[in-house]
Amino acid sequence: MRQLFVTTLLLTLLVQLVAAQSPYVSKIIEYHPAPGQFTNTNAWGTPAKANSLIGGLNSGVSLGGYGGFVIVGFDHRIENHPDNPYGIDFTVFGNPLATGSLVTWSEAGIVMVMKDSNGNGLADDTWYELAGSDHYFKSSTRDYSITYVNPKQPVAANVPWNDNQGKSGAVLANSFHQQPYYPSASIFPGIDQGQYSFTGTRIHGYVDRSDPSYIQSYHRGFGYADNSLLASGAHTIPDNPYTTAIEGSGGDAFDIDWAIDEDGNHVSLDGIDFIKVYTAINADAGWLGEVSTEVRGMADVAPDATITGASRKVVLADLPLKLDAGSLVELEAYAFNKGIRDPSATIVYSVDNTSLAEIKDGKLLTKKSGKITVTASRQDDPTINDRITIQVISPGDITIEIDALTLRVNTRLEISARVTDQNGDEIPGVPVSWRAADQTVLDIVQDQQKFFVTGKSSGLSWLVVEAPGSASLKDSVRIEVLPEASTRNVYLTIKDGSQTILPRKRIAVRNFDLNPYVDDPQHNYGIEQIQEVTVAHAIAQLFSNEPFFSDLRFRDDAKGNGLLYLWRVPKMEGSIVSYDYGYGGTTAPNFDKAWMVKVNQRTYVNDLQNVKINEQDEVVVYLVNGIATPWEFIQVTTDEDTVDAETPITLTALRSEQAMDDARNIATLSSDAISNETVFVNDVAYSVSGTVLKTDELGQATLAFTALGSQRVAVAGEPAFVFVKTDIPVGIPEHESDSFSVWPNPVQDYLTIRCPQGYTGKRYQLLSIDGNTLLSGDFLSSLSDRSIDMRAFPPGLYILVTGSENQMSYHKILKR
């Protein structure tokens, strides 16, 4: 009786223990990311995000570039159970993207496992790699090692790397994420702030950049994290990795039997206690950033011998999706049985249209243009196969498309290339490469989906475009780079803590004497001392065109550490002028607020006369109250600030966290796209075909306007302004009177407006001929003269508008 009681008690305790076990991750052993666009961000790249893996699929974490890893543990041993479906023991869930059910963005991660053989509860035993399909490809590298070097910049900057294969490169910064990409000391105190390294297996993967607007990173055969879509099934029921269908929970299924030792030999493990996932690919995906594995969670598989399915698979190595006629490409494929390579299987290659291509000695030879499908199959069972569809092309010509053959230093022009076949029809998606014959004169840069040529120094250089693999496809044009212009056209926005004082404007900035804008200057800010065009000039230039320009003030006193800072900014509220003040970066009580000046990705609080600006720079001036603690900054920009009606524009919404150190340097702590947020136009949710428009995962949205005039576009409460052009008739009536004068006309330098009686409080606007507002201001007193500086504007016809909405006067102005 007593023995029965003890047995029953033990069984009850065992049932309770099993019931208490969670199939999910229970602890994070280590999170050690490589540099990447999500590293240091609250969205994907902090220890807190790694902790989100505990207990389910709650959020996710990014591992950064090649080698970055996370190690997790469970509250029980994961058994290599013979009754597990398909032999699968656990699933890793990632964040791949797809078009329909086809994965077009996989960021493969290698999975390693460890058994706690010494029983001390620590991950200090032997790691074994689970060999996936790509492990056997010739393009994979065992014992690969990479070292990243910290650029030590307060904002996003390229992170250099070099590897043990004699290659070097960089994790490239992009405009979507503006925080430093190298793990910061404050978030990852255990990571060396000089440089650090990773070693492991590297798979080549396949990143298709032939179409810059639709970059793809292709799905791997099986055996890699962040490679397969999540499904709606229970997380403890796995997907079958040997089929193309999405079954069970989806995600990436793993069999402990795939484990290999450091010599590549398979090992037998009855269970594992720790799992490590690291980014397996070292590749850049253009404007999408580096390839970086993301992990959303993991789950132990529940035994169920009734769930069975296919166990044999063939995996064909990647082939280019476009090949020139006459290409000869080696084919590579392997057969697997339950995920383990079957060397006894013979692989047979075939092509569906032998008039377009043929197989010769294990190689694909393309003959003429058309679409073909290459298949690799088991000789003993052709139904087990893998296939790739390829477009064979016959390019006949390539042509550079560029708007001008001259540009100035620090300006850029968009470039593209048009590839045509022998009939003159365009062939889209053909990969091309750009180079400058003289790299001291020209530079080639990529910004999101587009390529640009940038002037580096005065001189001449050939711009060359080629189609790799097609020696005859080449085009070139000669570009002349002129000296830097005396003016810079930049975009400038000014806002305080609650509103936009001056919406984003494109202004022409020149060098001029800043001393009149500085209270009791301790230094000389005249043109003889400051020879560059700086951000201080941009701010003063904008306000010089406003009626209360004299109220703008800089200072260079002790509060700003003796360096020039923006102190007082005026704003009009009706007919009343009020002021917002900043104190140059001091955290002293009652003075811990400051005007920040953000130029592209860098933010400054003082020394503004030394911050040089270039053509098309984006400048945002904003007030921060309480600079002793980190603050949030939201920025919404549009790719065009003036458009025609019904012309699409793309907006981008970013959120960042910034902070100031003791030396008054401003660092971006984290930066993330504002995704899945409703887009508002003039305070009304914008909809397309009845569906409310929201930002995508990059914080972007595309929209168009039918209404004319200024449109207020907002995301997360932060506005941007777009002017939809009106059609100004060529024959504009001119309302002249003896008491109203505009001279000289034609004008070369300064245009003077003399206002008649009764014009107090009315406004004027200077428009380009296509309706874009260039300057605007108020007439504050009767019989006053206003002077407009026309020197920065190119020769041509302009429209001067005076008056109010009820009574407007138009004047055609000719600029020589």
Side-chain angles (χ1 to χ4, degrees):
M1 193 70 183
R2 181 178 178 181
Q3 184 178 2
L4 177 61
F5 172 77
V6 172
T7 301
T8 303
L9 178 61
L10 290 175
L11 287 173
T12 301
L13 292 174
L14 180 60
V15 170
Q16 291 176 345
L17 177 62
V18 172
Q21 291 178 349
S22 167
Y24 303 109
V25 172
S26 66
K27 56 188 173 182
I28 304 300
I29 308 299
E30 186 176 1
Y31 171 47
H32 201 91
Q37 61 184 325
F38 295 112
T39 302
N40 302 320
T41 70
N42 293 326
W44 285 93
T46 65
K49 297 308 294 183
N51 286 332
S52 73
L53 304 183
I54 296 174
L57 276 63
N58 303 308
S59 182
V61 66
S62 173
L63 307 184
Y66 175 84
F69 65 84
V70 64
I71 299 174
V72 305
F74 295 78
D75 62 9
H76 63 285
R77 176 163 292 171
I78 296 178
E79 289 187 76
N80 188 354
H81 200 290
D83 291 338
N84 283 348
Y86 323 114
I88 296 304
D89 302 303
F90 63 90
T91 301
V92 179
F93 300 96
N95 188 44
L97 302 177
T99 301
S101 61
L102 179 66
V103 172
T104 54
W105 185 253
S106 164
E107 299 179 279
I110 286 175
V111 173
M112 304 186 77
V113 296
M114 177 187 289
K115 181 180 179 181
D116 185 13
S117 299
N118 59 22
N120 65 358
L122 303 177
D124 58 359
D125 290 282
T126 303
W127 283 111
Y128 298 101
E129 178 181 338
L130 299 187
S133 57
D134 289 28
H135 183 84
Y136 304 95
F137 289 159
K138 295 175 183 177
S139 58
S140 297
T141 306
R142 262 68 72 184
D143 297 319
Y144 179 76
S145 182
I146 190 170
T147 298
Y148 298 98
V149 180
N150 191 352
K152 297 184 178 180
Q153 296 295 317
V155 295
N158 295 346
V159 181
W161 58 261
N162 56 79
D163 65 19
N164 61 351
Q165 308 298 304
K167 296 182 179 180
S168 61
V171 176
L172 302 179
N174 62 56
S175 60
F176 295 104
H177 301 93
Q178 300 175 1
Q179 84 291 343
Y181 291 4
Y182 193 97
S184 70
S186 60
I187 301 175
F188 301 97
I191 293 180
D192 189 292
Q193 290 301 297
Q195 62 181 40
Y196 69 137
S197 303
F198 297 95
T199 299
T201 298
R202 185 200 67 180
I203 65 172
H204 186 268
Y206 192 90
V207 178
D208 183 357
R209 297 178 57 178
S210 60
D211 182 353
S213 64
Y214 188 53
I215 297 174
Q216 301 180 68
S217 179
Y218 293 124
H219 180 269
R220 316 318 308 149
F222 68 91
Y224 297 96
D226 200 12
N227 186 51
S228 299
L229 296 176
L230 176 68
S232 58
H235 296 159
T236 55
I237 300 177
D239 178 60
N240 185 346
Y242 313 122
T243 67
T244 57
I246 301 175
E247 301 150 327
S249 62
D252 295 295
F254 292 88
D255 185 345
I256 294 173
D257 285 340
W258 300 343
I260 58 173
D261 61 21
E262 60 184 9
D263 296 321
N265 300 312
H266 279 275
V267 297
S268 178
L269 298 170
D270 59 1
I272 54 106
D273 298 279
F274 306 105
I275 297 174
K276 176 180 180 179
V277 182
Y278 68 89
T279 300
I281 298 174
N282 180 22
D284 174 66
W287 63 278
L288 289 176
E290 80 292 337
V291 173
S292 51
T293 302
E294 276 96 55
V295 179
R296 294 185 58 196
M298 305 182 198
D300 186 6
V301 165
D304 188 340
T306 66
I307 301 177
T308 60
S311 61
R312 295 197 296 175
K313 187 178 182 71
V314 169
V315 179
L316 174 62
D318 299 295
L319 293 169
L321 298 191
K322 286 186 173 65
L323 279 174
D324 288 350
S327 298
L328 185 65
V329 181
E330 184 176 2
L331 301 175
E332 184 182 11
Y334 297 100
F336 297 88
N337 186 16
K338 292 187 177 180
I340 298 175
R341 184 186 170 194
D342 183 359
S344 65
T346 299
I347 301 296
V348 176
Y349 301 103
S350 61
V351 62
D352 64 336
N353 191 333
T354 54
S355 67
L356 303 181
E358 63 179 329
I359 308 296
K360 296 185 64 174
D361 301 323
K363 297 181 176 64
L364 173 68
L365 174 62
T366 58
K367 299 177 180 179
K368 57 183 180 180
S369 59
K371 186 173 289 186
I372 61 171
T373 297
V374 178
T375 301
S377 57
R378 289 183 66 115
Q379 187 178 50
D380 59 354
D381 187 350
T383 64
I384 301 173
N385 59 62
D386 193 14
R387 57 188 61 191
I388 297 175
T389 299
I390 298 169
Q391 184 73 42
V392 181
I393 58 177
S394 299
D397 195 18
I398 185 170
T399 306
I400 292 176
E401 296 184 335
I402 188 171
D403 289 337
L405 298 180
T406 60
L407 73 161
R408 293 188 179 274
V409 172
N410 288 322
T411 63
R412 68 183 192 177
L413 286 171
E414 183 179 351
I415 53 178
S416 60
R418 186 173 185 266
V419 180
T420 54
D421 61 18
Q422 65 273 19
N423 300 317
D425 297 323
E426 184 173 3
I427 307 174
V430 177
V432 299
S433 63
W434 296 92
R435 61 182 174 88
D438 189 340
Q439 297 182 16
T440 66
V441 174
L442 292 177
D443 193 16
I444 312 297
V445 297
Q446 184 178 7
D447 186 356
Q448 298 186 30
Q449 302 100 317
K450 300 175 181 179
F451 284 93
F452 298 87
V453 59
T454 302
K456 294 177 66 176
S457 64
S458 300
L460 295 168
S461 176
W462 288 95
L463 172 67
V464 182
V465 66
E466 299 167 292
S470 301
S472 61
L473 281 187
K474 180 186 294 186
D475 190 24
S476 60
V477 293
R478 194 170 71 165
I479 306 291
E480 181 179 10
V481 179
L482 304 174
E484 229 173 346
S486 59
T487 61
R488 309 283 188 274
N489 290 289
V490 303
Y491 295 97
L492 197 151
T493 304
I494 299 183
K495 52 188 180 180
D496 61 15
S498 61
Q499 65 177 330
T500 300
I501 297 175
L502 288 171
R504 183 175 185 257
K505 281 190 176 183
R506 185 175 185 269
I507 62 170
V509 185
R510 57 182 176 81
N511 185 306
F512 54 90
D513 186 359
L514 288 172
N515 286 304
Y517 295 89
V518 185
D519 274 358
D520 190 22
Q522 305 302 304
H523 304 89
N524 181 10
Y525 300 102
I527 57 177
E528 69 279 5
Q529 187 69 26
I530 305 173
Q531 298 182 3
E532 301 284 0
V533 180
T534 73
V535 71
H537 291 104
I539 299 169
Q541 178 81 51
L542 181 66
F543 277 87
S544 70
N545 296 318
E546 296 299 323
F548 43 88
F549 73 95
S550 61
D551 287 345
L552 174 76
R553 284 292 181 269
F554 296 95
R555 282 189 174 181
D556 59 359
D557 56 22
K559 290 186 176 65
N561 203 28
L563 302 173
L564 190 71
Y565 66 91
L566 186 56
W567 172 55
R568 185 174 74 178
V569 175
K571 61 182 179 182
M572 290 288 292
E573 295 178 310
S575 59
I576 300 174
V577 178
S578 60
Y579 306 95
D580 280 311
Y581 297 88
Y583 298 97
T586 179
T587 55
N590 302 322
F591 297 102
D592 63 339
K593 60 181 181 176
W595 283 101
M596 300 293 170
V597 181
K598 187 172 184 286
V599 183
N600 301 325
Q601 295 186 20
R602 295 293 295 265
T603 303
Y604 307 86
V605 69
N606 58 21
D607 204 24
L608 302 181
Q609 83 286 1
N610 286 320
V611 181
K612 181 182 175 182
I613 57 173
N614 295 314
E615 192 78 4
Q616 304 299 317
D617 276 351
E618 189 78 38
V619 181
V620 180
V621 180
Y622 66 99
L623 185 66
V624 175
N625 290 294
I627 59 175
T629 57
W631 61 87
E632 183 182 78
F633 175 75
I634 296 177
Q635 186 172 5
V636 178
T637 58
T638 57
D639 58 350
E640 298 287 345
D641 63 334
T642 302
V643 295
D644 293 315
E646 300 183 356
T647 299
I649 66 162
T650 299
L651 65 83
T652 303
L654 301 175
R655 176 186 287 109
S656 60
E657 184 182 24
Q658 298 180 305
M660 187 184 72
D661 64 18
D662 293 338
R664 291 184 169 89
N665 297 312
I666 310 300
T668 300
L669 304 181
S670 66
S671 177
D672 301 300
I674 302 177
S675 59
N676 200 35
E677 283 283 346
T678 299
V679 177
F680 290 86
V681 175
N682 300 324
D683 299 321
V684 177
Y686 183 94
S687 63
V688 180
S689 301
T691 302
V692 172
L693 179 65
K694 294 191 174 185
T695 54
D696 62 17
E697 66 275 5
L698 296 176
Q700 294 189 325
T702 300
L703 65 162
F705 308 95
T706 55
L708 302 179
S710 180
Q711 308 296 316
R712 184 182 189 272
V713 187
V715 176
E718 186 64 25
F721 294 85
V722 179
F723 185 81
V724 182
K725 293 185 291 188
T726 58
D727 294 326
I728 300 177
V730 175
I732 298 175
E734 296 192 45
H735 301 279
E736 297 283 4
S737 68
D738 293 337
S739 57
F740 188 94
S741 302
V742 178
W743 77 90
N745 192 8
V747 62
Q748 186 168 352
D749 296 320
Y750 293 92
L751 182 71
T752 300
I753 310 171
R754 174 159 291 174
C755 313
Q757 292 284 350
Y759 263 69
T760 302
K762 302 296 176 64
R763 293 187 60 78
Y764 69 87
Q765 285 180 290
L766 182 68
L767 309 178
S768 61
I769 193 63
D770 58 4
N772 186 15
T773 300
L774 304 175
L775 297 173
S776 63
D778 291 335
F779 299 113
L780 294 183
S781 61
S782 60
L783 294 178
S784 63
D785 290 350
R786 290 305 309 269
S787 181
I788 297 178
D789 187 351
M790 298 287 291
R791 292 177 298 174
F793 300 116
L797 185 64
Y798 296 84
I799 308 298
L800 179 67
V801 185
T802 59
S804 62
E805 283 190 18
N806 297 327
Q807 184 176 1
M808 305 296 293
S809 296
Y810 299 89
H811 308 266
K812 288 181 291 188
I813 307 297
L814 179 62
K815 168 66 167 42
R816 285 179 172 172

